[in-house]
Amino acid sequence: MTFLYILLGIILFFVVILSIRITIDAEYFDEFKLNIKWLFINIPVLPAKKKDKPQKEENPKKEEPPKEPEPNPDDQAEKKENIFVTFYNNQGFDGVIQLVNNAVSSLGKMFSSFKKHIVFRELYLFMTVTGGCDAAETAMEYGRTCQKVFPAMGYIVSNFPVKKYDVEIEPDFLGNKNSAQFAFSVHIRPIFFINAVIVLAIRLVFKVVLKFLKGIKNKSNKENINEGGAL
């Protein structure tokens, strides 16, 4: 009974720890900065601190022994057939497509179940668009930029929880260079990500890996039957 209490306590401890959110802060103004926070840990990822590399001492060159001739890759291919080629020869193009569809479907289900736990606390984007002192070209470039940026921002706001966001795109009729600045803060709870990965792994095992192995074995079984019939 004591062992059961200890086990439950360990599980509860990890559940609580993994339920604490990880915050990712990123911004680009003069330079790109990326910072990760979890509990009392603050990790500045970018810009990375440059470390002075110690100078390597020059060692005298050693005479290399004569190289042996490399084996012919064609001979190795004959000895051992590629398992992916074996699956394709056995299941055909339709079997490969079905396997890929199963993998993509599993990844899509993972993303759809996990994306609601990716919360944007802040999301800001500021852009200045110019056409090189040409008013007509600046107006056209401004329209093309709005056509690309606003639908992308709308997709993020519609598919993820976003608390604060703002987008500003301004035309610059006197400038010669486009500019962009952004900042966002997003937090994720690791327990939801781990759960999604475990579910994905189970789906891939049953829908992809087992079917792939079955497709390889089917061919070997057919070859054994044919050999037995010939004997």
Side-chain angles (χ1 to χ4, degrees), residues 28-225:
Y28 177 79
F29 292 99
D30 296 329
E31 63 178 353
F32 182 72
K33 296 181 180 179
L34 179 65
N35 196 48
I36 299 176
K37 299 177 183 177
W38 185 65
L39 289 174
F40 304 105
I41 304 173
N42 189 8
I43 306 173
V45 180
L46 292 173
K49 295 182 179 179
K50 295 182 180 180
K51 296 181 179 180
D52 297 332
K53 296 182 179 179
Q55 295 181 354
K56 296 182 179 179
E57 297 181 357
E58 295 183 358
N59 297 325
K61 295 183 179 180
K62 297 180 180 179
E63 295 182 359
E64 298 181 356
K67 296 182 179 180
E68 299 181 356
E70 297 180 356
N72 191 346
D74 295 335
D75 297 339
Q76 292 181 350
E78 292 178 359
K79 294 179 181 179
K80 186 176 181 181
E81 187 177 2
N82 192 306
I83 57 175
F84 298 99
V85 176
T86 303
F87 180 85
Y88 177 79
N89 292 335
N90 187 25
Q91 300 297 323
F93 183 75
D94 293 338
V96 175
I97 293 298
Q98 183 63 39
L99 209 65
V100 173
N101 288 337
N102 290 343
V104 173
S105 175
S106 300
L107 289 171
K109 290 179 180 178
M110 171 193 170
F111 179 74
S112 61
S113 64
F114 177 62
K115 66 181 181 181
K116 61 184 178 181
H117 300 294
I118 303 176
V119 180
F120 286 86
R121 295 192 303 172
E122 296 178 350
L123 179 59
Y124 301 110
L125 175 63
F126 307 98
M127 299 182 67
T128 301
V129 180
T130 182
C133 296
D134 187 342
E137 184 62 28
T138 299
M140 294 175 63
E141 185 66 22
Y142 173 75
R144 287 192 293 264
T145 304
C146 292
Q147 188 179 9
K148 296 176 182 178
V149 172
F150 284 110
M153 182 64 68
Y155 175 82
I156 295 175
V157 175
S158 301
N159 290 274
F160 296 91
V162 181
K163 296 183 178 180
K164 296 179 181 179
Y165 68 95
D166 187 22
V167 181
E168 291 185 8
I169 304 176
E170 297 180 353
D172 186 1
F173 294 97
L174 301 177
N176 294 316
K177 187 178 180 181
N178 297 331
S179 64
Q181 299 176 343
F182 69 85
F184 69 83
S185 178
V186 58
H187 65 74
I188 307 168
R189 297 185 187 276
I191 191 169
F192 296 115
F193 177 75
I194 294 173
N195 180 60
V197 171
I198 293 174
V199 174
L200 172 65
I202 294 173
R203 285 174 177 163
L204 290 178
V205 167
F206 285 98
K207 293 188 176 182
V208 178
V209 177
L210 292 181
K211 288 187 177 182
F212 181 79
L213 296 176
K214 184 179 179 182
I216 297 174
K217 290 182 179 179
N218 286 342
K219 182 178 180 180
S220 61
N221 292 336
K222 289 180 182 178
E223 290 178 351
N224 293 334
I225 292 173

